[in-house]
DNA sequence: TCTAGCCGAGTTTTT
DNA sequence: CTCGGCTAGA
């Protein structure tokens, strides 16, 4: 047990306690993953069989990393038998082997959220309801909420509170949509993400013998990120652990940020009430961040009332204060951040992969992206469209899914007329209506159009029959064909990507690349399975694997050394030497949709998560105006900045070039922060784009001393003396134009608002005269 | 069946 | 602004 020496005292205690239930409260950066991995290694060394350990995580990435670390410690041959994966992955595996007990088949499809949205849309349409009232997004979240709380359609009907709430929200028929939605899923032999948890509960509730079987199998259960479990997950874990209470959950209530998805922070707060003899271990030493960052984060989270008290501390160096950057516009924000990044790269020798830009909403990525691109800083955006959500990929996968499960209605709808084969919307609607009328799947109708009286003309019937037999031919090959060969012939024969061969546009070429990429992935999957001793890997096995994958799981080698751009949510569990948290403004962070104290506390935790991602440097920026939804909106600094003790912050300082007074306007009154305009933030390190691209880091440091002297330069577009209009300051008169580091700049007298030095590329001035 | 054009809406999302 | 969804017309 040499490896135990690598743990501190509390970590060791948490690892070694295996007598009963235990809760490990793990502060940010306190070695949570380390405790989990070492604990599993410890259990294995104590003689526990790997096949009786169940370890649940929230992301595939976390599971994969943990598995790799354990493999290093105890050997891959042992590690591969661990039940380790996400809740969804593990229980979809169990559901597949027990599917017939709950009315599904082994090859059930998994509907992703786009599929379920599309199904909801068609149900609302078929019920002739107003889709402006029954908005698909809202209906979807309502159904998801019900499932996460284990409310089946029948118990929904019996729940007066829910019914009342729906009537009050003018959506009384939600109960019916929910019921039909579930029926349709079952008819399609499909489960959505929430079903994977709900149906597991149904399985365990209705079949005690099966529950008992898994209670026997899982001799020890570990759960990561327990603060983010919802009721469905909580109950699965509770039932499985009931017998022996050999369970260890790890989490941090201060990092609970998924309540809007049904996560219930009470699961961790009330752990002791669920498991009466639970031991609690607190990990409070942060090994990730400087003292300043840890203390700043502590002072922030201290403002939350609801929390398990703990004292996270760091013994690393004090470190630099968190730098607060104040800018005028979101464009300038991007520019300033890019400059700061350049600075870090070349004067502190940070690599791109050490740096992350975090934001509250995905839409903020655009300006950042633009700024980075302009300065040729390599970056990678996480979130947005993932590989598996791309149209061409979804199309190919829809073929694969339909071929493996002909009842899969969403896949059928997607490709029955793609590529176009003369089966229009009218026909598809008739087909589905007919199927509903006879309570069978659409495929069933296709199989016997006469029997079900499908009212289409002979030509259409012929086209439908052709489509059916094409799918049939593939379907017959499923049990005997290797997944890669079958996928390959699907792509070649169905013409699913024939659209992309019409021209050589970059979009089309990229689509072809993506499909090749997918096929390559299938190939690799088959080879990996073969190495594990499988004789043949069939297509359904591959589908089962990828339906639960996300973009984050597909890291490419070429993406290694790049700046990371992602939402704060996506950054949870990650760490970077330097972190930029941008858009720290009211109406953005906290989100205007969070009103109640409980919701605000979650937003504060989100900010806490953001800060604690940083190891050495943390920057926070806010802009006084932001371009959103086609309009420029004014904004104030986020209240959360004030929640951090000032001693840990480096607030923007006023800088007065040439002794000119530059008044701030009204924004900063509450913060006593003054603007350090373009000088400090933007130009302390003049940016020479070309040189940055070509030269080595050391070269660049030399150029940094270049003069910042301003030389008045006549600017023809903005003649001295002319009047201009600015989005924030209103009308002003140009006093002087100049160039600084190759950027056009103007000094403008805005009367009452004072004299401002503005960069023309940001100011967006309108010339009036 | 396809496409241009209009209208309206617009947080966060591990699976 | 920038998507998605729908309608009108080819």
């Amino acid at each position: 047990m040499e490896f135990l020496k690598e743990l501190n005292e509390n970590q060791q205690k948490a690892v070694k306690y295996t007598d009963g239930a235990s809760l490990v409260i793990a502060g940010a950066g306190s070695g949570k993953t380390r405790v989990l991995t070492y604990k599993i290694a410890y259990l294995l060394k104590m003689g526990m069989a790997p096949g009786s350990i169940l370890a649940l995580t929230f992301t595939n990435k976390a599971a994969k990393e943990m598995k790799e670390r354990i493999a290093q410690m105890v050997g891959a041959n042992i590690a591969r038998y661990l039940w380790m994966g996400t809740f969804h992955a593990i229980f979809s595996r169990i559901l597949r082997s027990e599917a017939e007990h709950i009315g599904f088949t082994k090859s059930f499809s998994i509907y992703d959220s786009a599929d379920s949205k599309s199904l909801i849309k068609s149900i609302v349409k078929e019920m002739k309801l107003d889709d402006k009232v029954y908005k698909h997004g809202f209906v979807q979240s309502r159904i998801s909420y019900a499932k996460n709380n284990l409310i089946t359609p029948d118990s929904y009907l019996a729940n007066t509170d829910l019914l009342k709430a729906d009537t009050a929200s003018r959506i009384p028929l939600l109960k019916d949509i929910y019921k039909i939605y579930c029926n349709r899923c079952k008819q399609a032999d499909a489960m959505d993400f929430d079903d994977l948890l709900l149906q597991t509960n149904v399985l365990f509730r209705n079949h005690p013998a099966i529950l008992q079987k898994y209670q026997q199998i899982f001799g020890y259960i570990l759960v990561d990120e327990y603060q983010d479990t919802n009721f469905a997950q909580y109950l699965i874990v509770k039932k499985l652990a009931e017998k022996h209470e050999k369970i260890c959950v790890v989490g941090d209530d201060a990092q609970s940020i998924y309540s809007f998805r049904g996560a219930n922070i009470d699961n961790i707060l009330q752990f002791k009430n669920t498991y009466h003899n639970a031991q609690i271990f607190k990990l409070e030493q942060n090994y990730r961040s400087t003292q300043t960052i840890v203390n700043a984060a502590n002072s922030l989270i201290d403002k939350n009332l609801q929390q398990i008290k703990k004292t996270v501390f760091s013994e690393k160096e004090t470190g630099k204060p968190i730098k607060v950057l104040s800018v005028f516009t979101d464009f300038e924000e991007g520019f300033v951040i890019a400059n700061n990044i350049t600075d870090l790269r070349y004067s502190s020798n940070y690599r791109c992969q050490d740096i992350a830009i975090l934001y509250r909403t995905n839409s903020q990525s655009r300006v950042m992206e633009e700024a980075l691109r302009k300065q040729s800083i390599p970056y990678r955006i996480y979130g947005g469209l993932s590989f598996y959500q791309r149209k061409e990929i979804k199309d190919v996968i829809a073929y694969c899914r339909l071929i493996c499960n002909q009842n899969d209605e969403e896949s059928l709808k997607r490709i029955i007329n793609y590529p176009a084969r003369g089966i229009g919307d009218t026909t598809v609607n008739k087909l589905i209506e007919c199927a509903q009328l006879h309570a069978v799947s659409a495929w069933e109708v296709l199989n016997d159009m006469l029997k079900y009286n499908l009212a289409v003309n002979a030509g259409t019937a012929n086209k439908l029959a052709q489509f059916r037999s094409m799918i049939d031919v593939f379907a017959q090959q499923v049990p005997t064909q290797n997944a890669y060969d079958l996928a390959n012939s699907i792509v070649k024969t169905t013409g699913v990507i024939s659209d992309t061969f019409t021209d050589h546009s970059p979009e089309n070429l990229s689509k072809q690349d993506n499909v090749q990429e997918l096929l390559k992935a299938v190939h690799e999957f088959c080879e990996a399975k073969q190495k594990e001793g499988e004789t043949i890997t069939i297509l359904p096995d591959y589908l089962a694997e990828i339906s639960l994958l996300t973009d984050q799981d597909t890291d490419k080698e070429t993406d290694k050394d790049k700046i990371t751009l992602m939402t704060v949510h996506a950054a949870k569990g990650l760490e970077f030497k330097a972190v930029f948290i941008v858009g720290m403004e009211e109406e953005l962070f906290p989100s205007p949709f969070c009103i109640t104290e409980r919701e605000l506390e979650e937003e504060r935790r989100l900010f806490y998560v953001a800060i604690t991602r940083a190891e050495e440097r943390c920057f926070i920026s806010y802009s006084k105006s932001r371009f959103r939804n086609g309009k420029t909106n004014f904004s104030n600094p986020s209240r959360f900045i004030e929640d951090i003790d000032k001693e840990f912050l480096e607030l923007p300082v006023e800088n007065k070039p040439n002794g000119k007074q530059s008044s701030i306007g009204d924004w900063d009154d509450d913060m006593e922060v003054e603007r350090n305009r373009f000088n400090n933030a933007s130009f302390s390190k003049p940016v020479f784009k070309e040189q940055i691209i070509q030269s080595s880091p050391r070269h660049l440091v030399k150029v940094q001393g270049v003069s910042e002297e301003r030389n008045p330069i006549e600017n023809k577009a903005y003649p001295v003396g002319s009047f201009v209009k600015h989005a924030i300051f209103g009308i002003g008169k140009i006093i002087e134009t100049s160039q600084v580091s190759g950027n056009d700049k103007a000094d403008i007298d805005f009367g009452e608002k004072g004299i401002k030095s503005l960069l023309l590329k940001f100011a967006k001035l309108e010339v009036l005269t």
Side-chain angles (χ1 to χ4, degrees):
Chain A
M1 301 279 184
E2 273 299 304
F3 61 86
L4 287 178
K5 287 187 186 142
E6 294 164 33
L7 300 173
N8 71 28
E9 199 187 331
N10 284 340
Q11 288 174 330
Q12 273 200 34
K13 279 187 197 159
V15 165
K16 283 184 175 166
Y17 180 79
T18 57
D19 295 339
S22 57
L23 164 65
V24 181
I25 299 286
S30 64
K32 171 177 71 93
T33 313
R34 178 169 264 235
V35 165
L36 270 175
T37 48
Y38 281 49
K39 181 153 190 149
I40 293 168
Y42 181 79
L43 288 167
L44 292 170
K45 299 264 173 176
M46 296 293 279
M48 188 157 231
S52 57
I53 296 174
L54 171 67
L56 298 166
T57 63
F58 274 77
T59 63
N60 293 305
K61 204 176 172 188
K64 198 177 138 204
E65 283 172 5
M66 213 185 293
K67 206 162 191 172
E68 279 165 6
R69 281 169 73 170
I70 292 169
Q72 280 171 10
M73 296 174 80
V74 300
N77 255 341
I78 296 173
R80 59 180 278 214
Y81 293 106
L82 290 166
W83 288 78
M84 181 173 289
T86 63
F87 273 89
H88 292 80
I90 295 288
F91 294 111
S92 77
R93 188 167 145 196
I94 289 177
L95 282 172
R96 264 187 216 285
S97 59
E98 312 288 347
E100 63 265 32
H101 296 289
I102 47 167
F104 288 83
T105 75
K106 278 192 175 8
S107 48
F108 66 80
S109 295
I110 293 176
Y111 276 179
D112 66 20
S113 71
D115 295 319
S116 80
K117 194 183 270 177
S118 145
L119 177 54
I120 289 167
K121 256 188 235 168
S122 36
I123 294 171
V124 169
K125 210 167 187 175
E126 285 160 30
M127 288 172 71
K128 301 203 165 49
L129 298 171
D130 186 353
D131 60 3
K132 293 207 174 63
V133 179
Y134 290 88
K135 290 181 195 162
H136 52 248
F138 187 69
V139 173
Q140 189 177 27
S141 70
R142 207 66 192 147
I143 291 177
S144 173
Y145 168 86
K147 288 188 176 180
N148 286 331
N149 288 289
L150 304 181
I151 302 166
T152 58
D154 287 334
S155 41
Y156 202 100
L157 281 176
N159 188 322
T160 45
D161 286 348
L162 287 172
L163 297 180
K164 267 187 205 158
D166 286 346
T167 312
S169 325
R170 299 180 194 282
I171 45 168
L173 295 181
L174 202 117
K175 57 178 176 23
D176 300 325
I177 301 177
Y178 183 22
K179 173 124 203 176
I180 297 171
Y181 175 82
C182 290
N183 288 342
R184 288 283 271 278
C185 283
K186 201 156 209 178
Q187 206 143 74
D189 198 13
M191 295 198 201
D192 65 18
F193 289 144
D194 300 322
D195 277 329
L196 296 174
L197 306 174
L198 171 67
Q199 299 292 352
T200 303
N201 274 292
V202 171
L203 177 75
F204 288 164
R205 183 194 61 191
N206 295 351
H207 303 275
I210 294 175
L211 171 62
Q212 225 170 30
K213 180 171 94 186
Y214 288 100
Q215 283 172 339
Q216 287 293 332
I217 292 174
F218 301 133
Y220 207 98
I221 300 170
L222 303 102
V223 186
D224 191 14
E225 308 277 17
Y226 193 69
Q227 76 281 355
D228 285 330
T229 49
N230 61 33
F231 183 64
Q233 291 163 327
Y234 158 86
L235 200 63
I236 292 174
V237 169
K238 180 166 178 269
K239 280 187 173 168
L240 285 175
E242 224 158 43
K243 272 265 169 63
H244 321 287
E245 295 209 343
K246 297 276 187 180
I247 177 174
C248 171
V249 307
V250 183
D252 180 5
D253 58 296
Q255 294 185 64
S256 159
I257 54 173
Y258 281 100
S259 78
F260 69 96
R261 278 190 72 102
N264 189 350
I265 192 169
D266 291 333
N267 290 345
I268 194 164
L269 298 177
Q270 303 295 323
F271 187 79
K272 265 198 283 190
N273 297 339
T274 307
Y275 303 92
H276 296 290
N277 297 317
Q279 291 285 312
I280 296 183
F281 302 96
K282 282 190 189 179
L283 307 181
E284 295 177 311
Q285 178 164 5
N286 177 309
Y287 293 96
R288 178 188 295 153
S289 316
T290 63
Q291 289 186 26
T292 302
I293 288 167
V294 168
N295 292 338
N298 283 343
S299 71
L300 168 79
I301 205 68
D302 204 38
K303 308 295 184 294
N304 272 8
L305 299 175
Q306 256 215 7
Q307 55 174 317
I308 298 172
K309 281 283 170 206
K310 53 186 149 331
T311 322
V312 181
F313 67 97
S314 164
E315 284 181 356
K316 292 180 74 173
E317 72 275 9
T318 314
K320 291 191 176 168
I322 295 179
K323 194 166 178 183
V324 180
L325 306 166
S326 166
V327 292
F328 272 121
T329 66
D330 42 359
F331 290 95
E332 189 194 344
E333 186 179 41
F335 185 78
V336 167
I337 301 282
N339 282 333
N340 271 283
I341 286 174
T342 303
D343 191 14
L344 286 175
R345 286 176 71 193
Y346 297 116
S347 36
S348 309
N349 266 327
Y350 280 37
R351 304 191 56 182
C352 284
Q353 63 196 10
D354 299 328
I355 303 170
I357 300 177
L358 308 181
Y359 33 77
R360 180 66 180 82
T361 67
N362 273 315
S363 58
Q364 288 165 261
S365 66
R366 275 188 96 115
V367 258
M368 288 299 144
E369 196 184 354
E370 228 162 88
L372 294 175
R373 201 170 34 220
K374 271 184 196 151
Q375 300 200 17
S376 301
I377 301 172
Y379 61 88
R380 162 140 153 75
I381 297 184
Y382 290 79
L385 253 204
S386 86
F387 181 76
Y388 297 102
Q389 288 167 341
R390 284 174 203 191
K391 185 187 173 298
E392 62 276 17
I393 300 300
K394 287 209 76 168
D395 289 336
V396 174
I397 288 176
Y399 271 98
C400 295
R401 266 170 49 178
L402 184 67
I403 281 156
C404 297
N405 168 17
Q406 287 89 59
N407 292 319
D408 185 330
E409 188 176 302
E410 290 310 311
S411 297
L412 179 116
K413 276 200 300 200
R414 189 177 180 96
I415 51 145
I416 191 167
N417 196 37
Y418 187 84
R421 42 174 81 85
I423 305 172
D425 287 348
T426 334
T427 309
V428 175
N429 287 339
K430 273 185 198 165
L431 175 65
I432 288 176
E433 257 167 56
C434 178
Q436 289 319 303
L437 191 69
H438 295 93
V440 294
S441 70
W443 180 259
E444 184 67 33
V445 175
L446 280 187
N447 264 330
D448 201 338
M449 290 183 266
L450 289 177
K451 178 177 161 195
Y452 295 103
N453 270 323
L454 185 64
V456 292
N457 62 42
T460 309
N462 191 32
K463 286 170 188 159
L464 287 173
Q466 269 178 29
F467 172 75
R468 187 193 57 85
S469 67
M470 174 185 73
I471 298 298
D472 245 351
V473 169
F474 284 118
Q476 278 159 23
Q477 300 172 41
V478 168
T480 51
Q481 275 265 28
N482 166 288
Y484 172 69
D485 296 333
L486 188 54
N488 219 349
S489 81
I490 288 169
V491 171
K492 288 215 174 82
T493 337
T494 59
V496 57
I497 53 166
S498 52
D499 261 16
T500 64
F501 293 113
T502 48
D503 62 65
H504 293 288
S505 66
E507 293 82 32
N508 278 341
L509 291 176
S510 138
K511 283 180 181 175
Q512 291 168 24
D513 281 351
N514 287 334
V515 172
Q516 285 314 312
E517 192 74 31
L518 177 73
L519 288 174
K520 202 178 113 200
V522 183
H523 190 63
E524 281 166 7
F525 179 78
C526 292
E527 290 205 318
K529 287 282 169 185
Q530 201 172 23
K531 264 189 198 154
E532 284 177 23
E534 246 177 44
T535 43
I536 177 170
T537 309
I538 55 172
L539 194 54
D541 291 347
Y542 179 71
L543 290 181
E545 174 98 357
I546 59 153
S547 50
L548 297 169
L549 281 189
T550 57
D551 215 24
Q552 308 233 348
D553 308 320
T554 54
D555 257 347
K556 285 186 209 141
E557 214 39 51
T558 49
D559 284 333
K560 275 284 160 62
D561 192 26
K562 290 184 176 175
I563 305 276
T564 299
L565 273 73
M566 55 168 59
T567 62
V568 183
H569 281 93
K572 200 174 84 167
L574 307 177
E575 55 189 22
F576 303 91
K577 279 188 185 161
V579 167
F580 291 84
I581 308 165
V582 303
M584 281 309 299
E585 293 141 37
E586 287 292 301
E587 308 293 306
L588 186 60
F589 201 165
S591 156
F593 294 85
C594 298
I595 309 136
T596 64
E597 195 49 40
R598 209 185 158 90
E599 288 167 326
L600 270 173
E601 292 207 344
E602 175 148 326
E603 291 283 299
R604 197 178 276 111
R605 290 196 293 269
L606 190 57
F607 188 30
Y608 175 84
V609 168
I611 293 174
T612 54
R613 296 312 95 199
E615 294 169 1
E616 295 169 2
R617 300 297 309 273
C618 182
F619 299 78
I620 293 169
S621 69
Y622 61 87
S623 170
K624 287 161 185 175
S625 70
R626 185 168 294 276
F627 193 72
R628 256 209 290 184
N629 304 342
K631 279 203 298 274
T632 301
N633 298 308
F634 302 116
S635 38
N636 290 313
S638 170
R639 66 190 81 176
F640 291 154
I641 301 178
E642 284 184 86
D643 285 340
I644 303 174
D645 278 2
K646 295 257 187 306
E647 61 174 303
F648 307 119
L649 298 179
E650 178 188 337
L651 293 167
V653 210
E654 166 139 18
N655 180 296
K656 300 168 193 165
N658 297 346
K660 272 178 195 161
Q661 184 69 39
S662 81
S663 77
I664 317 297
D666 307 321
W667 299 289
D668 292 335
D669 293 354
D670 54 336
M671 295 257 322
E672 285 181 71
V673 212
E674 292 186 276
R675 170 170 163 61
N676 75 343
R677 228 188 338 237
F678 302 93
N679 40 57
N680 203 353
S682 318
F683 294 125
S684 58
K685 306 291 178 290
V687 175
F688 293 93
K689 195 171 156 187
E690 293 73 18
Q691 289 172 5
I692 289 175
I693 304 165
Q694 288 156 12
S695 54
S696 74
R698 267 181 207 107
H699 254 117
L700 222 108
V701 179
K702 285 184 195 157
V703 229
Q704 281 180 356
V706 171
S707 152
E708 266 184 54
E709 286 282 296
R710 315 188 314 159
N711 6 307
I713 289 171
E714 184 190 348
N715 189 317
K716 292 218 170 76
Y718 298 90
V720 169
S722 61
F723 286 90
V724 292
K725 192 175 169 187
H726 184 266
I728 296 165
F729 304 118
I731 293 171
K733 187 180 173 186
I734 297 187
I735 302 168
E736 185 180 289
T737 52
S738 55
Q739 281 209 332
V740 173
S741 311
N743 290 295
D744 289 317
K745 184 171 156 183
D747 292 352
I748 303 162
D749 184 352
F750 286 103
E752 279 181 10
K753 300 256 165 98
I755 295 164
K756 314 278 178 192
S757 277
L758 299 176
L759 269 192
L760 295 177
K761 63 199 273 197
F762 296 127
K764 295 202 169 159
L765 295 172
E766 188 187 330
V767 182
L768 299 173
T769 43

